[in-house]
């Protein structure tokens, strides 16, 4: 088990800076997930750790040893590519053993390792096949097997599941987690799938435009986002944002929504001015006729009702034109065109400054 | 589907197609047929003007044997092989390595170098005649040896082949070489064990093409060699033309013999022309 330490890491392609002065520590044995929008530099960062891209600035150490300039093969890492990158002209067994065969390792040891990896990944019956004779999921397992056979201290995955269909994705996700428990190796995993990030990670790193927005456990990030970007990025359907104005009121602050109505928060010493109020779809509550709730009531009309079975996502337009998403029970009877009353409870709200910083995270989880 | 398969055309179109194919085929193959027929005629038959009719005597064995006995045809053939084989092997080796570097490595001047390779293909080779001949006589003393032709053909063909290999290799996923690099495999071994097996169809196609070019070359065989010991079969065919009378039957037989190796190679290489070798490398 080894930790991975990035200090002041930067990457430039010519004049184009892709990663800016980034610090990150991944603890030994941790499952760390990088998420972020397309083009934010996740793959680049991973490839820098792997040694496939030169590090322009800063230092990288793995297991306490400086690896900034060490060739990829000597870093103790293995990588699984999004495209699998299997050698098409080699059988599964040859694919898995290729790296070892090119080193001085004795034949018997190679065979032993390949057999063990094949056993773990249930590839034994497929060892003689070519990649073109395998299904997507099987190819994925071969790619993982090729990484495992090197017995690395750190595994790197670049969107390994994005080419699989939903069912296989779930199954492979579970398999990778089982592998993580079994091997105890440090794993760094890139994805832009929310569910993968939330379910697999010990630690999520949210990246945007080559910078870290926030690092934390999945639930920390979900419930206590540091800024507007993280709040909007994690969660599906995404958090609702309402434009608001802050008016200080003694020890408290009154948040006036652009669409009318206001809420009061305990927030001493906040500047007044523009702000954004955030609330997750599951924290908005429908008020059925005659019901009363403590909080702000918005009236809205239903644009679309997505019945997902266990739950229903209502797409609403508030009276001031703001689009809202609301998550409610699976048997909700609301349909397109209905007028509804929506309750916003202050305990569930997040408040963001105009520059995106979080002023306040709701206490209701 | 476009173009629509001929089976789906209207009857008239289908009939026209069926009629046109043999006609075109005959026109196309007529010269070849004439040469083949001529090569088995007797000289008298030809002097009587029987160019298209059935030969009065089948002289196949006699004519083809005469090709070898009345001229140093065996020597010429051997020279051709000794020129063509090393030139083709050398060209493919150089161009696949250069193509790989140009396709997959980021270095300053990559594009400029590639542009030179492309540009080189547009130089008409006649322009090179005097300088290359002078070069071979005065600077690298290879004039009138087999090596003069080997070296020249290798240098000349590498340009086009590099362009071809570079574009072919560019399609290979980067991740294949990267995966090997992560495993600590040296660049040379990546090239040998990963890249070359995947460009086999391109290599086979180029091998046939370049072999045919070099084997059929006449121009440089005249410019760079003059003695029988280095003369390839194309230039050597002249020796069959006869002292006083044109021996068309011998020249035809010699021409067919000279053409055979290229055709043979094509059929030998055919099973390598399979595409889709990278199938299964990625998600598929
Ligand atoms: N070789 C390169 N040369 C120049 N720019 C590059 C190169 N590779 C990546 N980039 C740029 O770096 C940025 C980050 O790319 P990267 O592939 O790391 O994104 P990503 O976060 O992995 O995106 P995705 O989710 O789409 O895979 C992009 O703007 C990309 O254009
Ligand atoms: Mg990526």
């Amino acid at each position: 088990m080894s930790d991975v330490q990035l200090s002041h890491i930067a990457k430039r392609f010519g004049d184009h800076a892709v990663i800016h002065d980034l610090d990150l520590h991944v603890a030994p044995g941790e499952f760390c997930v990088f998420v972020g929008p397309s083009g934010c530099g996740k793959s680049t960062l991973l490839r820098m750790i792997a040694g496939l891209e030169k590090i322009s600035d800063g230092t990288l150490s793995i297991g306490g040893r400086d690896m900034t300039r060490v060739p990829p093969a000597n870093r103790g890492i293995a990588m699984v590519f999004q495209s699998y990158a299997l050698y098409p002209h080699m059988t599964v067994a040859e694919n898995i053993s290729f790296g070892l065969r090119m080193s001085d390792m004795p034949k018997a040891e190679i065979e032993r390792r390949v057999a063990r990896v094949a056993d773990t990944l249930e590839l034994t019956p497929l060892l003689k096949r070519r990649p073109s004779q395998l299904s997507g999921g099987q190819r994925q397992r071969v790619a993982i097997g090729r990484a495992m056979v090197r017995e690395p201290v750190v595994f790197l995955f670049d969107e390994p599941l994005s080419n699989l269909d939903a069912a296989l994705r779930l199954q492979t996700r579970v398999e990778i987690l089982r592998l993580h428990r079994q091997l105890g190796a440090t794993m760094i995993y890139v994805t832009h799938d929310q569910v993968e990030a939330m379910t697999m990670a010990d630690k999520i790193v949210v990246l945007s435009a080559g910078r870290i927005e926030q690092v934390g456990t999945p639930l920390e990030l979900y419930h206590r986002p540091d800024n507007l970007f993280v709040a909007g990025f994690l969660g599906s359907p995404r958090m609702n944002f309402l434009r608001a104005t802050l008016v200080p009121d003694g020890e408290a602050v009154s948040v006036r929504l652009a669409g009318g109505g206001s809420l009061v928060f305990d927030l001493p010493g906040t500047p007044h001015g523009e702000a954004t109020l955030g609330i997750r779809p599951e924290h908005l509550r429908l008020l059925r006729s005659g019901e009363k709730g403590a909080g702000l009531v918005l009236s809205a009309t239903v644009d679309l009702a997505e019945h997902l079975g266990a739950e229903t996502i209502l797409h609403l337009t508030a009276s001031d034109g703001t689009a809202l998403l609301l998550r409610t029970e699976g048997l909700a009877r609301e349909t397109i065109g209905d007028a509804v009353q929506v309750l916003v409870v202050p305990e569930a709200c997040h408040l963001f400054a105009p520059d995106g910083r979080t002023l306040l995270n709701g206490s209701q989880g | 589907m476009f173009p629509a398969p001929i089976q789906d055309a209207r009857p008239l179109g289908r009939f026209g197609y069926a009629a046109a194919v043999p006609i075109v085929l005959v026109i196309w193959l007529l010269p070849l047929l004439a040469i083949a027929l001529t090569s088995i005629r007797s000289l008298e038959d030809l002097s009587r003007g029987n160019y298209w009719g059935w030969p009065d005597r089948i002289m196949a064995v006699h004519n083809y044997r005469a090709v070898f006995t009345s001229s140093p045809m065996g020597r010429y053939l051997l020279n051709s092989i000794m020129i063509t084989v090393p030139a083709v092997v050398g060209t493919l080796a150089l161009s696949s390595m250069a193509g790989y570097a140009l396709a997959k490595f980021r270095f300053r001047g990559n594009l400029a170098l590639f542009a030179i390779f492309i540009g080189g293909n547009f130089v008409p080779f006649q322009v090179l005649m005097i300088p290359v001949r002078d070069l071979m006589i005065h600077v690298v003393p290879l004039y009138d040896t087999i090596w003069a032709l080997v070296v020249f053909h290798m240098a000349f063909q590498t340009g086009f082949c590099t362009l071809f290999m570079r574009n072919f290799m560019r399609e290979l996923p980067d991740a294949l070489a990267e995966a090997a690099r992560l495993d600590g495999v040296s660049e040379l071994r990546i090239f040998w064990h990963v890249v070359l097996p995947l460009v086999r169809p391109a290599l086979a196609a180029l091998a046939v093409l370049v072999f045919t070019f070099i084997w059929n070359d006449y121009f440089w065989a005249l410019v760079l060699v003059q003695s029988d010991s280095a003369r390839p079969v194309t230039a050597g065919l002249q020796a069959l033309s006869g002292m006083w009378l044109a021996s068309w039957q011998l020249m035809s037989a010699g021409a067919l013999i000279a053409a055979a190796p290229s055709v043979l190679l094509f059929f030998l290489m055919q099973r390598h022309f399979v595409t889709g070798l990278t199938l299964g490398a990625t998600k598929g």
Side-chain angles (χ1 to χ4, degrees), chain A residues 43-92:
Chain A
S43 300
T44 305
L45 195 56
L46 199 72
R47 292 165 58 80
M48 285 161 82
I49 298 173
L52 292 172
E53 298 285 357
K54 268 219 200 80
I55 295 171
S56 307
D57 260 321
T59 56
L60 160 75
S61 65
I62 298 174
R65 287 185 46 213
D66 182 11
M67 294 288 183
T68 315
R69 305 263 172 264
V70 174
N74 304 337
R75 294 189 180 194
I77 50 97
M79 181 159 165
V80 178
F81 293 83
Q82 174 174 14
S83 62
Y84 314 153
L86 301 181
Y87 310 120
H89 57 296
M90 299 185 197
T91 64
V92 169

Side-chain angles (χ1 to χ4, degrees), chain A residues 62-304:
Chain A
I62 298 174
R65 287 185 46 213
D66 182 11
M67 294 288 183
T68 315
R69 305 263 172 264
V70 174
N74 304 337
R75 294 189 180 194
I77 50 97
M79 181 159 165
V80 178
F81 293 83
Q82 174 174 14
S83 62
Y84 314 153
L86 301 181
Y87 310 120
H89 57 296
M90 299 185 197
T91 64
V92 169
E94 287 167 343
N95 259 288
I96 295 177
S97 64
F98 180 65
L100 303 182
R101 281 187 285 126
M102 294 289 123
S103 65
D104 307 326
M105 190 175 284
K107 230 178 155 153
E109 167 71 5
I110 296 178
E111 276 167 19
R112 204 177 54 72
R113 284 208 197 180
V114 172
R116 199 176 53 207
V117 165
D119 193 45
T120 313
L121 295 173
E122 293 168 17
L123 288 170
T124 311
L126 308 175
L127 282 176
K128 294 225 158 45
R129 296 219 201 146
R130 298 265 165 116
S132 56
Q133 300 162 318
L134 300 177
S135 72
Q138 289 167 337
R139 281 178 205 172
Q140 181 57 67
R141 293 216 301 275
V142 176
I144 294 175
R146 198 172 58 181
M148 267 174 72
V149 81
R150 306 191 57 214
E151 304 184 348
V153 290
V154 178
F155 278 88
L156 307 175
F157 295 89
D158 193 355
E159 305 199 29
L161 309 186
S162 56
N163 289 331
L164 301 180
D165 65 43
L168 209 52
R169 209 181 274 202
L170 177 72
Q171 187 192 332
T172 316
R173 207 163 77 202
V174 174
E175 256 171 61
I176 292 177
L177 282 180
R178 181 173 56 84
L179 216 61
H180 178 238
R181 236 176 302 121
Q182 207 174 325
L183 302 174
T186 310
M187 293 191 173
I188 302 179
Y189 188 103
V190 168
T191 182
H192 53 228
D193 183 304
Q194 304 248 347
V195 183
E196 272 173 39
M198 295 298 286
T199 55
M200 298 177 87
D202 294 323
K203 171 148 104 193
I204 295 182
V205 178
V206 182
L207 292 164
S208 151
R211 288 178 222 278
I212 292 183
E213 293 288 344
Q214 192 174 357
V215 179
T217 65
L219 291 184
E220 262 168 31
L221 263 56
Y222 191 77
H223 293 295
R224 315 201 63 77
D226 273 353
N227 54 47
L228 196 70
F229 178 85
V230 175
F233 188 77
L234 287 181
S236 169
R238 55 179 254 137
M239 187 184 277
N240 296 300
F241 293 118
L242 302 163
R243 282 193 300 114
T245 315
L246 301 183
V247 182
D249 182 4
E251 282 299 274
V253 64
S254 155
V255 177
R256 306 232 165 101
L257 294 181
S262 69
L263 287 162
V264 178
F265 294 94
D266 271 347
L267 192 65
T270 27
H272 50 85
E274 297 277 292
T276 305
L277 183 84
I279 183 156
R280 295 213 179 266
E282 62 268 33
H283 294 149
L284 286 178
R285 203 153 70 71
L286 279 182
L287 285 181
R288 298 272 144 69
S289 53
E291 239 181 315
K292 270 238 161 56
L296 175 66
V297 178
L298 302 174
S299 39
T301 50
V302 179
D303 289 331
L304 181 69

Side-chain angles (χ1 to χ4, degrees), chain B residues 4-43:
Chain B
I6 190 71
Q7 292 94 311
D8 299 345
R10 277 174 297 144
L12 194 69
R14 268 202 316 248
F15 176 78
Y17 178 80
V21 165
I23 294 173
V24 169
L25 213 60
V26 165
I27 295 176
W28 182 256
L29 289 176
L30 212 54
L32 213 61
L33 190 74
I35 290 177
L37 266 180
T38 308
S39 78
I40 59 171
R41 286 182 200 282
S42 63
L43 189 57

